[in-house]
Amino acid sequence: VQLVESGGGLVQAGGSLRLSCAASGMILSVFSSSTKAWYAQTPGKQREVVARISTDGTTYYSDSVKGRFTISRDNTRKRVYLQMNSLKPEDTAVYYCNLNSASYRTDYWGQGTQVTVPG
């Protein structure tokens, strides 16, 4: 199983990016049963969850991104997305995709994608 993130890059403040996470080699039932999340990590700090979507569609957003970021998933295509709008310099981080299934006792991470918003 491999989670492959894409969509990161350099964007000016106020701009938008859409991150994508593709689950390769994962059976559909594991993907569907997983809680999907995006984490952000800056140098010297722990990864912190910025957005999460549960199997029933319930979403959670950190206070810092609420109202600006939107997490979504496409179970058929086994993809997770993070729409990032109104980006700020403090959003600069490496963003990681995470899929966690309690049913199958699996926890997968992507390799990370860099998002840079110059100050």
Side-chain angles (χ1 to χ4, degrees), residues 7-17 19 38-43 45 48-51 61-70 82-96 113-119:
L10 176 69
V11 63
Q12 297 302 312
S16 297
L17 284 174
L19 305 185
W38 287 94
Y39 286 72
Q41 186 171 28
T42 54
K45 293 187 177 181
E48 295 183 340
V49 61
V50 295
Y61 297 96
S62 66
D63 288 342
S64 62
V65 308
K66 199 173 296 181
R68 299 188 298 120
F69 291 10
T70 302
L82 185 68
Q83 179 66 42
M84 311 167 74
N85 297 331
S86 303
L87 282 160
K88 304 176 181 180
E90 50 263 44
D91 295 322
T92 295
V94 178
Y95 286 77
Y96 295 88
T113 185
Q114 176 71 47
V115 172
T116 302
V117 187

Side-chain angles (χ1 to χ4, degrees), residues 40-59:
Q41 186 171 28
T42 54
K45 293 187 177 181
Q46 288 188 333
R47 292 180 191 181
E48 295 183 340
V49 61
V50 295
R52 182 173 60 233
I53 185 166
S54 301
T55 55
D56 65 359
T58 302
T59 55

Side-chain angles (χ1 to χ4, degrees), residues 1 30 34 52 54 77 99 102 110 119:
V1 173
V30 174
S34 295
R52 182 173 60 233
S54 301
R77 299 185 65 195
L99 269 64

